[in-house]
Amino acid sequence: MSPTARGSVVRGELVLHPVALVALALLLLNDHVLKAVAPGWVTGKLSDVAGLAFFPFLLLALRDVLGRRRPTRRAAVGAAVLTGAAFATIKLWAGARDLWSDAMALLRFPADAVVAGAGSPVPLVVHPDPTDVPAVVACAAVVVVLWRRAAADRARDPGTTADEATPTALTPPASTRPSRAG
Amino acid sequence: MARDRAARRARWRSAAVCLALVAGVGATVATTPPLEKCPNPPDVGEVSEFYGPQEYDQWWGRSTTPAAFVGGGFEVRDASVSGETCVTADDPSVEVRVYLEMAGEQVPAVPEETLRTLTISDGAGRVWAPSGASSGAWEPPASEGADPYAAYAHISFLLPADVAGPVTLHLGELSGPTVDELSLDPPAPSPSAS
């Protein structure tokens, strides 16, 4: 994401990229509206694709905010691979499904207790379905975004190396850049 | 003025990032749906404990005891029983399924007439014959490196909601030299160490 007009950089702003926001909006819309209105194969897969596209952006943004580490292309690949591998494992292996179900039940418990009066973590449904696994290709969205940004950064500043191109605008504001003294 | 605008823009963007992160984490956690609660959970004692807790709409399944045996010319390597929850006292019958997986290759399908000799009895002396039976023979792997398909048998029974323990599957023509019945009851809770 480009820096704001005068160069202030906001940590975690990768999550505001249009691809991330559209994926998040689609996930929320599908889970809370479309599945109820038109349950079926399409709405079943749409959550997987939207969630897998969005989650690596979330990981990188949290890493930026909490770990003070800017998103890089390598980190994007790592986030995409981690997300895809975790999803595939949960879909294919009962042990991973149980772990995920228990973890999500615990995370949901405070909200379930307040909203639904649950007295204990509510078991979750994770359907084993190998046909969901191809959706992991959506994880590549974050890699594509950061790769294109890196290319754009290099085009703007040919002196930037591939490793230095960190697409969420580490380019410091013009007023603070050291001058290229001849 | 320009610096004020930039600072304000940065604050708005920071707020937007916070909102997106919270929404994102919430969406991730909420996207896995919880189990549906049974619409008419029975009172305590109305439905047999054989069917397990009747709080959430889900399938239950467990291995029989023993879970492996030899009989009727077949070696069963895994025997299990399963059914659905949300049973009510008003249900005229509840479908319970027994699944037998055979060991070995080139195993033929168990004849249906053999499966029809299996019966279930309960602690009240009632006996039920199968309501349905099907089986399949061993099949080679669908592709190189894949696992073959084991021979199997499915037998369905329609039992009452108040089936009394112990619930036993009598093997009929699948009986062997050492085993002629399987317990379908839930395993007894293991005593806690003191």
Side-chain angles (χ1 to χ4, degrees), chain A residues 1 4-6 10-13 15-16 27-28 31 54-55 58 61 100 108 122-125, chain B residues 2 6 9-10 13-14 16-17 20-21 23-25 27-35 56:
Chain A
M1 186 72 68
T4 54
R6 287 296 180 262
V10 176
R11 291 215 173 259
E13 60 182 357
V15 80
L16 299 181
L27 179 63
L28 291 168
D31 278 351
F54 173 74
F55 195 73
L58 180 67
W100 173 260
R108 291 175 61 107
V122 178
L124 301 185
V125 178
Chain B
R9 241 192 305 265
R13 289 187 72 82
S14 293
V17 167
L21 288 177
V25 171
T28 301
V29 173
T31 197
T32 309
L35 289 170
Y56 295 103

Side-chain angles (χ1 to χ4, degrees), chain A residues 55-57 59-60 73-85 139 142-143:
Chain A
F55 195 73
F57 285 93
L59 283 182
L60 291 177
R73 291 185 301 175
R74 184 176 298 175
V77 171
V81 168
L82 182 67
T83 302
C139 296
V142 70
V143 178

Side-chain angles (χ1 to χ4, degrees), chain B residues 46-135:
Chain B
E46 278 189 345
V47 169
S48 171
E49 291 181 359
F50 176 77
Y51 302 113
Q54 301 300 314
E55 191 175 2
Y56 295 103
D57 186 5
Q58 59 183 320
W59 273 91
W60 58 268
R62 55 181 176 259
S63 294
T64 63
T65 307
F69 64 93
V70 176
F74 295 92
E75 180 186 351
V76 176
R77 68 178 173 203
D78 183 43
S80 59
V81 60
S82 64
E84 290 186 50
T85 54
C86 294
V87 177
T88 69
D90 297 331
D91 286 333
S93 60
V94 183
E95 185 181 24
V96 170
R97 301 179 192 179
V98 174
Y99 175 74
L100 307 176
E101 184 174 291
M102 312 304 173
E105 297 186 354
Q106 309 296 337
V107 177
V110 182
E112 184 178 335
E113 53 269 25
T114 301
L115 297 177
R116 294 263 176 204
T117 65
L118 277 67
T119 57
I120 285 181
S121 68
D122 75 345
R126 296 174 289 185
V127 178
W128 296 271
S131 60
S134 63
S135 61

Side-chain angles (χ1 to χ4, degrees), chain A residues 23-36 42-55 58 83 87 90-91 100-101 103-105 107-109 111-112 122-127 132 135, chain B residues 22-36:
Chain A
L24 177 60
L26 205 54
L27 179 63
L28 291 168
L29 181 70
N30 192 58
D31 278 351
H32 299 285
V33 177
L34 297 180
K35 277 184 175 175
V42 172
T43 50
K45 299 295 181 228
L46 199 51
S47 283
D48 291 338
V49 172
L52 288 168
F54 173 74
F55 195 73
L58 180 67
T83 302
F87 180 81
I90 288 167
K91 284 293 178 177
W100 173 260
S101 180
M104 289 300 108
L107 285 174
R108 291 175 61 107
F109 178 48
D112 285 340
V122 178
L124 301 185
V125 178
V126 182
H127 296 291
D132 286 345
Chain B
V22 169
V25 171
T28 301
V29 173
T31 197
T32 309
L35 289 170
E36 295 291 328

